[in-house]
Amino acid sequence: MERLSRRSFVKIAGAATGAAAIAAAPPVARAAIGEEGAVKTDPTTGVPEEPLVAYVRDARRGEVTVTSGTAEHTYRDRALVKKLLRAAGRKGE
Amino acid sequence: MSSHREAPGISQDPVADNADVYAFVSPDDPTTVTILTNFVPLQGPAGGPNFFEFGDDVLYSIFIDNDGDALPDITYQFQFNTQIRNEETFLYNTGPITSLDSPNWNKRQFYSVSKIRDRGHNGCKKQHHEQDGKGKVLGKNLACPPCNIGPRSTPNYDDLAAAAVHHLPSGETVFAGQRNDGFFVDLGSVFDLAALRPFQNLHLIPLPAAPGVDPLKDLNIHTIAIKVPIRMLTRDGSVPSDPMSAVSVLGIWSAASRRKVQVRDDNGEQPKGSGPWVQVSRLGNPLFNEVIVHIGDKDRWNAVDPIDDAGEFESYVNQPELARLLPVLYPGVFPNLAAYTKDRADLHAILLTGIPAGVVPGFQNFTGPNPADMLRLNVAVPPTVDKPNPIGLVAGDPAGFPNGRRVFDDVVAIELNAVAGLTIPLVDPSYTKDAAAGILTDGTGPGPDRYQDTFPYLGTPHDGFHTPAS
């Protein structure tokens, strides 16, 4: 299983779309979401033509699936899952 | 329409709902095979102002297996895009549409055709899910015809449809657009507890016998049609003349796929797709998913490939529910069928492997032991030009279903009689068929004006001005 670090994930997302859409299951959350300084904000653009989407596939196993173009990869990254869950206002599952 | 609304999921998604597949040696051009695959079923012709069209967000595929392993060797893919000329009107057209580039036609659809030849890597072919929409582009910006609206908007519809037949430099001929739905069935009766109106006096809940009623005779469909030289489809590039040769048999099916993720914004724009194509509909033999597969498995069947039919789906063929229902719904009519408990080797051959040599003299369409739902076309069997029989192979016309499928083949009657036991003696001489097996019909048939003699063979779609008549 490939591993995707938070830093490389953000890098891929930025490179692929310029405005990455991160979709965890429910609507994205409340306030600041972590130690790296992510803050809640309003979208500055519409959905990009080819959105990059990441969703938590299995929180317990720390699995995140990323789709971009016609590609799809699933990574195990517990820290990223934790951050996404926090952004979604959900505790660890 | 043999697979219209056949599964819970796809019944909610008509533009991706694969309703019928036809494959036959072209009667007017017998060095070619024509494959038709239909979508957007049950179209009322008067469905404006946004008339029916293909999905811009759907990948439509036609698969051909030419070496009997139930995996595609050749795939044709079709992708559509819709263009609006004038956003300042609510109208589909602002005047008569007299040509495919008419400025009066406001909402036009175009498509591209791609071809994937998948001989695989290291001898291992990819399943189509891995093909991810990338192939050699054979044609792009190919115009669809408009829908048939009425005498003011589409006064010369046949000319528009003819202009939308595109001859590709690579040798194929293609068409994509609205047609008359060629499928016929007494839909209202057969799904009212499998009633056949001509025999409903014998039904468990009897009513007086009556002629069949075909609700599809006034409805349209959207057809993707492709005519391909046979030499471009066979494994060795030949045009086979020996029906007993394995080279002469093609396995054919089609499918529709959607992107794995759709992201919808709140600004009214169309949803954006992300991720690989995921199959949501497939079709080979008519009525397979509709009346063979149980409802809890229908969506899954649509999502997987013919190569995955072995096992559970195969068991539905071996012990079809309909064969158990017929003796119950028609008491006393099917005593021999009721007593037959063996696996249905006849249906297994017809639907899943093709008919091996030795069953029907001079004919076979066997693709090998891999059980897979595909239409199987023996291209060495010439088309029957003089009075083709809609009952096809079982009536002695080897150019008809289940040797491929022609637009006028009565697949309901053929499959109904087969399930009722007509074809069991072909593989089990100890069985005596019931008297009713072989004469069952829903009372419908191919009507006039439904077909045409030339590509794409399905007839002019009904226009919304004249249909319904009153």
Side-chain angles (χ1 to χ4, degrees):
Chain A
M1 181 74 67
E2 285 185 71
R3 177 176 173 79
L4 182 72
S5 69
R6 276 170 290 168
R7 184 182 302 276
S8 64
F9 172 77
V10 171
K11 191 175 173 185
I12 290 170
T17 67
I22 297 178
V28 177
R30 304 183 236 279
I33 58 171
E35 63 278 4
E36 293 186 2
V39 294
K40 180 183 176 185
T41 185
D42 293 326
T44 55
T45 69
V47 176
E49 201 56 41
E50 280 282 351
L52 184 155
V53 177
Y55 62 92
V56 176
R57 179 175 288 269
D58 187 323
R60 277 195 317 116
R61 291 191 173 90
E63 288 181 0
V64 178
T65 296
V66 180
T67 66
S68 178
T70 56
E72 176 189 50
H73 299 285
T74 298
Y75 301 93
R76 183 168 297 134
D77 187 332
R78 293 187 186 281
L80 179 58
V81 167
K82 190 173 177 183
K83 186 169 181 177
L84 289 170
L85 291 174
R86 198 180 305 153
R90 291 160 64 162
K91 298 191 189 284
E93 298 180 358
Chain B
M1 201 73 153
S2 71
S3 184
H4 304 30
R5 301 179 54 76
E6 90 289 352
I10 201 62
S11 67
Q12 307 297 316
D13 188 7
V15 298
D17 186 357
N18 199 172
D20 278 290
V21 179
Y22 304 92
F24 49 89
V25 176
S26 313
D28 57 335
D29 191 359
T31 62
T32 67
V33 162
T34 293
I35 302 170
L36 313 177
T37 181
N38 288 348
F39 294 88
V40 206
L42 300 171
Q43 294 179 21
N50 286 284
F51 291 91
F52 297 94
E53 57 195 18
F54 294 100
D56 287 0
D57 53 356
V58 176
L59 176 67
Y60 300 93
S61 302
I62 293 172
F63 303 101
I64 297 105
D65 166 33
N66 62 21
D67 59 8
D69 62 2
L71 290 168
D73 297 283
I74 300 167
T75 304
Y76 288 101
Q77 296 185 325
F78 300 77
Q79 288 186 269
F80 293 81
N81 74 87
T82 302
Q83 298 178 13
I84 295 176
R85 272 203 165 104
N86 177 8
E87 295 192 344
E88 304 304 317
T89 175
F90 71 94
L91 292 166
Y92 181 81
N93 57 296
T94 55
I97 302 172
T98 55
S99 68
L100 295 184
D101 59 358
S102 167
N104 292 332
W105 185 13
N106 195 30
K107 194 165 183 240
R108 300 175 300 159
Q109 196 161 43
F110 300 85
Y111 63 102
S112 64
V113 186
S114 300
K115 179 180 180 180
I116 299 168
R117 287 192 68 91
D118 198 12
R119 292 292 182 189
H121 304 287
N122 302 320
C124 181
K125 286 194 289 189
K126 294 178 180 177
Q127 293 196 28
H128 86 272
H129 294 125
E130 302 167 59
Q131 294 175 331
D132 74 4
K134 293 171 184 165
K136 180 182 179 185
V137 177
L138 305 182
K140 55 186 178 182
N141 297 319
L142 303 168
C144 298
C147 287
N148 197 1
I149 300 166
R152 297 177 185 82
S153 293
T154 47
N156 301 302
Y157 191 81
D158 287 341
D159 290 344
L160 296 171
V165 173
H166 303 284
H167 302 283
L168 304 179
S170 48
E172 296 90 343
T173 300
V174 293
F175 170 90
Q178 191 182 47
R179 300 312 290 165
N180 189 317
D181 192 345
F183 184 60
F184 47 91
V185 63
D186 190 341
L187 203 57
S189 185
V190 296
F191 287 115
D192 185 16
L193 291 179
L196 304 168
R197 289 185 217 249
F199 301 94
Q200 63 182 354
N201 55 310
L202 304 174
H203 195 277
L204 184 65
I205 305 172
L207 289 170
V213 176
D214 178 12
L216 279 69
K217 67 180 175 54
D218 293 329
L219 301 178
N220 295 327
I221 196 84
H222 263 57
T223 298
I224 295 172
I226 185 165
K227 185 163 72 171
V228 189
I230 290 173
R231 62 180 168 73
M232 293 169 60
L233 295 175
T234 52
R235 71 179 79 160
D236 61 358
S238 68
V239 182
S241 57
D242 176 12
M244 305 315 288
S245 165
V247 175
S248 67
V249 182
L250 303 175
I252 297 166
W253 73 100
S254 69
S257 301
R258 288 190 172 280
R259 299 293 288 278
K260 186 150 198 171
V261 180
Q262 281 197 329
V263 182
R264 191 182 300 274
D265 218 337
D266 57 5
N267 58 7
E269 290 186 1
Q270 292 299 306
K272 307 296 196 312
S274 182
W277 294 100
V278 176
Q279 184 174 292
V280 296
S281 180
R282 76 159 156 135
L283 187 57
N285 280 298
L287 301 165
F288 190 99
N289 200 21
E290 185 144 326
V291 301
I292 299 282
V293 179
H294 292 185
I295 194 166
D297 284 330
K298 286 175 182 288
D299 290 342
R300 187 162 59 84
W301 187 88
N302 268 332
V304 300
D305 297 325
I307 192 73
D308 303 312
D309 287 339
E312 185 177 3
F313 297 125
E314 188 180 10
S315 69
Y316 290 142
V317 175
N318 289 334
Q319 295 288 334
E321 181 184 18
L322 183 58
R324 297 197 303 275
L325 284 174
L326 285 173
V328 175
L329 292 172
Y330 293 87
V333 176
F334 300 101
N336 296 345
L337 181 66
Y340 196 75
T341 57
K342 297 178 189 174
D343 280 354
R344 294 294 300 271
D346 57 325
L347 300 178
H348 192 276
I350 291 169
L351 298 173
L352 291 177
T353 64
I355 300 168
V359 176
V360 177
F363 176 80
Q364 60 87 29
N365 63 355
F366 187 63
T367 53
N370 291 330
D373 176 52
M374 305 185 288
L375 271 179
R376 290 171 171 84
L377 176 64
N378 187 319
V379 298
V381 176
T384 303
V385 177
D386 184 29
K387 295 180 182 170
N389 191 325
I391 302 299
L393 185 64
V394 294
D397 182 350
F401 184 79
N403 182 26
R405 180 186 174 192
R406 300 169 297 194
V407 290
F408 50 78
D409 281 341
D410 191 346
V411 294
V412 172
I414 296 167
E415 292 193 353
L416 184 60
N417 282 289
V419 170
L422 175 66
T423 50
I424 296 175
L426 293 173
V427 297
D428 185 354
S430 70
Y431 179 78
T432 301
K433 74 177 185 65
D434 294 304
I439 61 171
L440 295 175
T441 174
D442 67 351
T444 64
D449 304 325
R450 214 153 179 168
Y451 314 104
Q452 62 187 40
D453 294 334
T454 56
F455 185 83
Y457 303 100
L458 291 174
T460 304
H462 306 281
D463 74 61
F465 181 85
H466 293 104
T467 314
S470 61

